[in-house]
Structure formats: structure tokens, C-alpha cells
Amino acid sequence: HPRVRRQRQMCIRDSIWIVNKECKFLMQKRSKYKKSFAGKWSQTGGAVAEGETPLQGALRECKEELGLDIPKKEIELIFSFKREYDFVDVWLVRKNIDIKKLKLQEEEVEEVKWVSKEEIEKMIKNNETTPNVDFYFNMLIKLIKEYN
């Protein structure tokens, strides 16, 4: 990935979707202490730190938020896009994870669960997710269908 975040450059954000062999997605509930969207469900992700590549940022976010080490060969960039104030890279990890063994970052994540496509659609409809989940998830599902 050619982009590396530097000072005064637009922010790069990573959105990491983890899917298991049952085609369920790992969703995380944002901590009640978060300033924005506290208690809402979302995918793993965050801002790429200065000097990091988006891949390094995605791997770091998985480690920080979930205590999960993802080998580079198990994460793939699915799509990227530019918003008004930042760039977003959307990553896919196909991995079976025992969520009881995750070490959640309390300041960021309250709980995690495996959720089906239909359950995520219901969560979106019931306003239980952060606003970006709807867009990212629908794009991801379209691309996964084309990819498979």
C-alpha cells in the first residue's frame, strides 16, 4: 500500500471486518466511555497513526482493541475510498476466533459477538450500530458476492 500517514496529511482510517467460516461477522460494542457513538455496535477500526501504513494500522487496531494478532497473510484490502476529510481502507479477515479468549480494550470495546448478515441488517434498522456500518457492510457484502 503506497500511502503512509504523515503530519498535515489527510487522515487515513481503517475498517476491519472479521468473518468466520459460518459467515458470521465479529461486531464490537463501543465502550460507554467513548465520546462518540457510545454503546453502539461497529466493526474493528480506527485512525492510522503518523508514520504507519494502513496495513500496519489495521493490524495494530486488531491487537489494541481485541488483543488479536492477525498475520499479514490473513488480512486483505477489499476497497478504499476518499471522504471529504479522510481516506478509508476496508479490510477483510477470514478467521475463526474464540471470542472468549479475546482481550478487549476497556476504553474502546465493551463486548464482542458473532453476528449473521441478517442480524447486522436488523441492528442497522434498529439504530444499534454506528452510522458507517450500513455503508461499509453493504459494500462489503456486494464485493464478497462478486469475489466468491
Side-chain angles (χ1 to χ4, degrees), residues 111-142:
E111 66 178 287
V112 295
K113 65 181 177 179
W114 288 110
V115 186
S116 70
K117 174 184 178 286
E118 293 75 22
E119 289 169 309
I120 292 178
E121 289 167 347
K122 185 177 177 184
M123 291 166 71
I124 291 167
K125 184 180 173 192
N126 293 337
N127 197 31
E128 297 173 40
T129 61
T130 58
N132 63 15
V133 168
D134 189 17
F135 173 74
Y136 296 163
F137 186 68
N138 287 320
M139 285 292 292
L140 184 67
I141 292 300
K142 285 177 189 169

Side-chain angles (χ1 to χ4, degrees), residues 92-108:
L92 182 65
V93 175
R94 297 172 196 260
K95 192 171 183 70
N96 294 313
I97 296 162
D98 181 352
I99 60 175
K100 291 182 230 103
K101 293 182 179 178
L102 295 177
K103 291 179 176 52
L104 306 183
Q105 184 183 21
E106 289 180 25
E107 313 83 60
E108 295 277 338

Side-chain angles (χ1 to χ4, degrees), residues 3-12 52 85 87:
R3 289 180 287 154
V4 173
R5 179 159 179 217
R6 291 177 176 53
Q7 259 185 331
R8 294 188 307 258
Q9 184 184 29
M10 286 183 75
C11 182
I12 303 169
E52 270 186 330
Y85 299 107
F87 292 96

